[in-house]
Amino acid sequence: MQCTFVAVSADSDFSIYNLPFGVCSAGADAPAHVAVAIGDYALDMAELARLGLFADIAGLDAIGVFGKPYLNDYMALGRPVWQAVRQRLQDFLSNEQNSVRLQLATNNVGSVAKPLDSVVMHLPARIGDYTDFYASREHATNVGVMFRGKDNALMPNWTHLPVGYHGRASSVVVSGTGLHRPCGQRRPDASKPPVFGASVRLDYELEMAFFVGPGNELGSPLTVEQAEERIFGVVLMNDWSARDIQAWEYVPLGPFLGKSFGTTISPWVVTMDALEPFRVPQPTQDPQPMEYLRDTTGRPGGYDIALQVDIKPAGSNSFYTLTRSNLKYMYWTLRQQLAHHAVAGCNMRPGDLCGTGTISGPTEDSFGSMLELSWSGQKDIRLGDSGITRKFIQDGDVIRISGFCQANDDGFRVGFGQCAGCILPPKTDGVQPLLSSEQRRD
């Protein structure tokens, strides 16, 4: 299948086999609407709906749904509608005799396709709730070895369930949004009281995240099979982490300020139908999961998605690669994560976001964080042959995550675009340093 509507290069992330969904506008103050990426263009889904491309798709009010500045209503409609829309789009893009294409032959083609570099991207959904998992065995092992030793690297529950925590939805931002270095309590010297100040161990976390489609009622769990049908699509994620703030605060209830200052996601949501050709078996799970987490679909639960993290250090014009990893290393699959989330009766809703946790692989160059690459700051991370080194992120550094799937037979590509952000200096106006108990006595 070939796109004949606009030119699409062979190495484009947004081929006709992809068709990711997003929300964009013609400017920062212009109305936003649902769009689909193809090549270097954003298709205006609301305008295509007005032209009748999605007429007669059962259960779809196309003009109403695609005219919204968020995808939640579309996510709620479910896989039959998603697949029908995908088929209409692929026919429109590949078939020169498509009825809507024939209408456009005498009208302005630009009315439905805008260059990507001319639009402003927004968050793809109104994120009601955000959960972050801890589903990479390699990452969990590395962190455990650092802080508990090799013999106690994994906590006793880790191989029995997908560990997760509730994150902060309000500080999830779209790619390109700068984030200020967070301030909080740290305890750099275990023999002294904590201090207040800006984090000095700021890190990235290479993650992916899925958006929930149709939800479930409060009190009603989801099977693994039902969970898979309720995943709309996937984005890249950088779940920034202030390691020093987190280390002091996380006992006993888990991360708080060390995570809540910002999470960056890519703007285009790649659907599960686009990822279908790239299924691969997940790593062997030992011990066998409990029955509610076992796969009975007969379909592999992993996905072969090549991931890369690059850094552009402050003052530099060049990016240097830090990490090359792959989602296929993930121990707990996306559908297992969602099934576990709902097993106690939690009601998932359209637009809820679930992060995978840091995706690390078996080799050092596949470690998904600076915490691992520098082994908790014990060694320098060399940035190519530039002479620049890092242990953690400095102000002005840009972190860029990219990812794609590559088909072997037809050679087509399904990519995610970029998830990028710059760390800005901390905002300290109006914040008074806290005095330790020792300082108060003095």
Side-chain angles (χ1 to χ4, degrees):
M1 182 166 40
Q2 183 176 357
C3 179
T4 59
F5 183 64
V6 294
V8 180
S9 63
D11 61 351
S12 172
D13 275 353
F14 306 134
S15 68
I16 194 171
Y17 296 95
N18 190 349
L19 305 181
F21 283 77
V23 172
C24 71
S25 63
D29 299 323
H33 57 81
V34 174
V36 164
I38 178 70
D40 295 326
Y41 293 87
L43 294 175
D44 185 333
M45 293 291 284
E47 184 61 28
L48 287 172
R50 283 188 281 272
L51 292 170
L53 182 61
F54 311 110
D56 304 323
I57 293 180
L60 174 64
D61 171 17
I63 295 175
V65 167
F66 293 138
K68 298 282 180 64
Y70 47 82
L71 277 163
N72 300 62
D73 291 0
Y74 183 62
M75 291 173 172
L77 297 178
R79 193 166 304 280
V81 172
W82 304 338
Q83 291 179 332
V85 169
R86 179 177 175 83
Q87 290 167 2
R88 297 282 179 95
L89 282 171
Q90 288 182 326
D91 186 73
F92 169 79
L93 293 168
S94 63
N95 179 10
E96 294 181 357
Q97 297 306 308
N98 178 278
S99 60
V100 176
R101 285 276 293 271
L102 294 175
Q103 290 182 56
L104 291 175
T106 57
N107 294 312
N108 181 15
V109 175
S111 66
V112 298
K114 304 295 184 185
L116 288 177
D117 59 9
S118 72
V119 299
V120 175
M121 299 305 301
H122 304 269
L123 281 175
R126 289 181 174 174
I127 303 169
D129 284 293
Y130 158 50
T131 299
D132 195 35
F133 285 93
Y134 191 51
S136 163
R137 182 167 191 155
E138 288 82 1
H139 175 68
T141 299
N142 289 338
V143 174
V145 169
M146 281 181 222
F147 298 111
R148 292 187 297 274
K150 186 176 181 180
D151 294 337
N152 298 296
L154 291 180
M155 299 299 286
N157 63 352
W158 198 92
T159 57
H160 294 274
L161 56 84
V163 174
Y165 71 93
H166 195 68
R168 181 70 185 177
S170 67
S171 54
V172 178
V173 298
V174 72
S175 177
T177 305
L179 289 170
H180 290 272
R181 181 177 297 271
C183 294
Q185 291 191 33
R186 302 178 286 112
R187 196 180 187 186
D189 188 335
S191 66
K192 297 179 180 180
V195 297
F196 178 87
S199 171
V200 297
R201 290 166 63 92
L202 190 57
D203 201 356
Y204 68 86
E205 288 190 345
L206 168 60
E207 299 195 25
M208 301 196 79
F210 62 86
F211 277 101
V212 175
N216 58 301
E217 293 183 1
L218 182 66
S220 299
L222 296 172
T223 65
V224 169
E225 294 80 5
Q226 290 170 333
E228 180 164 287
E229 289 301 305
R230 282 164 168 76
I231 298 176
F232 173 71
V234 182
V235 293
L236 303 171
M237 173 184 281
N238 182 352
D239 193 27
W240 307 86
S241 181
R243 301 293 183 187
D244 44 0
I245 295 174
Q246 182 178 345
W248 171 238
E249 72 180 0
Y250 83 100
V251 177
L253 294 180
F256 188 36
L257 303 185
K259 289 288 199 178
S260 62
F261 65 94
T263 299
T264 304
I265 63 172
S266 52
W268 295 106
V269 187
V270 176
T271 67
M272 304 314 293
D273 286 312
L275 295 176
E276 185 66 26
F278 306 101
R279 286 181 182 265
V280 293
Q282 70 192 94
T284 300
Q285 294 187 320
D286 183 22
Q288 184 181 35
M290 292 186 183
E291 187 173 355
Y292 78 94
L293 289 171
R294 292 177 196 167
D295 172 42
T296 58
T297 67
R299 298 186 299 272
Y303 294 90
D304 184 3
I305 304 175
L307 300 167
Q308 182 167 314
V309 182
D310 303 307
I311 184 172
K312 184 165 74 72
S316 173
N317 294 319
S318 300
F319 279 93
Y320 302 91
T321 298
L322 293 169
T323 301
R324 289 187 175 93
S325 190
N326 196 299
L327 185 66
K328 68 183 180 183
Y329 299 135
M330 191 65 56
Y331 186 88
W332 295 104
T333 64
L334 305 182
R335 61 195 183 194
Q336 285 178 317
Q337 292 170 36
L338 182 54
H340 181 67
H341 202 319
V343 74
C346 175
N347 52 322
M348 308 300 295
R349 296 176 295 185
D352 282 355
L353 185 69
C354 294
T356 60
T358 305
I359 304 167
S360 292
T363 58
E364 186 172 346
D365 63 350
S366 64
F367 291 171
S369 66
M370 283 179 149
L371 179 70
E372 295 164 273
L373 291 170
S374 72
W375 208 251
S376 192
Q378 294 180 35
K379 58 183 180 180
D380 288 332
I381 304 167
R382 300 186 182 279
L383 306 185
D385 57 1
S386 67
I388 302 171
T389 62
R390 288 287 187 272
K391 290 182 178 177
F392 293 97
I393 299 170
Q394 295 185 10
D395 291 351
D397 288 352
V398 175
I399 299 294
R400 180 182 69 188
I401 298 175
S402 55
F404 66 91
C405 311
Q406 188 72 45
N408 293 324
D409 45 6
D410 296 331
F412 66 87
R413 184 182 179 112
V414 170
F416 292 79
Q418 295 182 358
C419 172
C422 179
I423 291 299
L424 307 174
K427 283 187 173 182
T428 57
D429 294 348
V431 178
Q432 298 298 318
L434 301 179
L435 297 178
S436 68
S437 57
E438 185 179 71
Q439 291 172 319
R440 287 196 296 269
R441 285 194 300 269
D442 292 341

